Amino acid sequence: MQGAPYLVSYPGMIKLVLGDITVQKVDAIVNAANSGLLGGGGVDGAIHDAAGPGLLEECRTLGGCETGGAKATSGYGLPAKWVFHAVGPIWKGGGHREDELLASCYQRCLALAVEKDARSVAFPAISTGIYRFPVGRAAAIAVREVKAFLQGHPDREVLFVCFDKGTLAAYQTLL
Ligand code: ADP
């Protein structure tokens, strides 16, 4: 289900991909983790399965992460050199700072990309699975934060990796 990416040249580059984030050949992939950082379902489980046990071992040393934050580990068996573990908000109707906390995840991951000199970063649609954040609303926040970042970092490349066609359509509408 790996389609040809849909490209948007902004300053920098945004790529929209339908597929599995674990196979992306980028410097860093983002994990939609939970606050324990000890693995879970969805994309978190897929990333841990593909990376191998070393990833969980390193995650155990991190002491968890607050909602809206992100922490970096190595990529182990993944093609990516880094994994940025971001903890998105659980959707509770929109009145619990969900938008702000989701924006913070993108900002923290993009700051980690600068810190680690990751030139290309792939994001899943954080919080839109088990955490039930509405996809269109989450995609709008993701696109807004990434475009703002690329203005100041035109040498970078960001991929939005969509696992299903509904998510892809939400990003396509925005891009
Ligand atoms: P959250 O708990 O933050 O909602 P999920 O993992 O449940 O995290 O879902 C986040 C998004 O990641 C959803 O759009 C889901 O379909 C998607 N997803 C699940 N597996 C993968 C994968 N292997 N690659 C890319 N995206 C994935």
Side-chain angles (χ1 to χ4, degrees):
M1 109 168 181
Q2 203 70 31
Y6 172 80
L7 306 178
V8 182
S9 172
Y10 195 56
M13 182 72 83
I14 296 175
K15 289 185 181 171
L16 198 50
V17 178
L18 181 64
D20 180 354
I21 201 164
T22 64
V23 301
Q24 302 302 318
K25 293 183 178 65
V26 287
D27 294 335
I29 66 169
V30 173
N31 182 15
N34 54 52
S35 58
L37 299 185
L38 297 177
V43 71
D44 197 357
I47 288 172
H48 277 275
D49 285 350
L55 182 62
L56 184 58
E57 268 172 49
E58 187 175 353
C59 283
R60 284 191 208 284
T61 68
L62 298 177
C65 181
E66 73 287 1
T67 302
K71 290 188 178 177
T73 65
S74 293
Y76 297 91
L78 294 163
K81 184 173 181 199
W82 304 100
V83 180
F84 301 154
H85 304 265
V87 183
I90 297 171
W91 180 256
K92 294 175 185 160
H96 293 79
R97 298 172 55 230
E98 292 96 327
D99 290 342
E100 182 191 326
L101 290 165
L102 186 62
S104 171
C105 284
Y106 284 90
Q107 291 162 9
R108 291 297 311 132
C109 288
L110 293 164
L112 284 172
V114 173
E115 195 183 307
K116 303 298 187 189
D117 198 31
R119 302 267 139 187
S120 52
V121 184
F123 283 93
I126 301 169
S127 282
T128 67
I130 297 159
Y131 284 1
R132 300 183 319 277
F133 203 117
V135 172
R137 186 163 169 156
I141 292 167
V143 168
R144 183 190 75 207
E145 293 303 326
V146 165
K147 281 188 168 178
F149 171 79
L150 290 175
Q151 292 269 16
H153 300 86
D155 56 332
R156 309 280 165 144
E157 184 178 287
V158 173
L159 280 71
F160 291 119
V161 182
C162 305
F163 204 51
D164 58 81
K165 287 184 177 164
T167 303
L168 182 74
Y171 281 90
Q172 273 172 331
T173 305
L174 293 158
L175 293 167

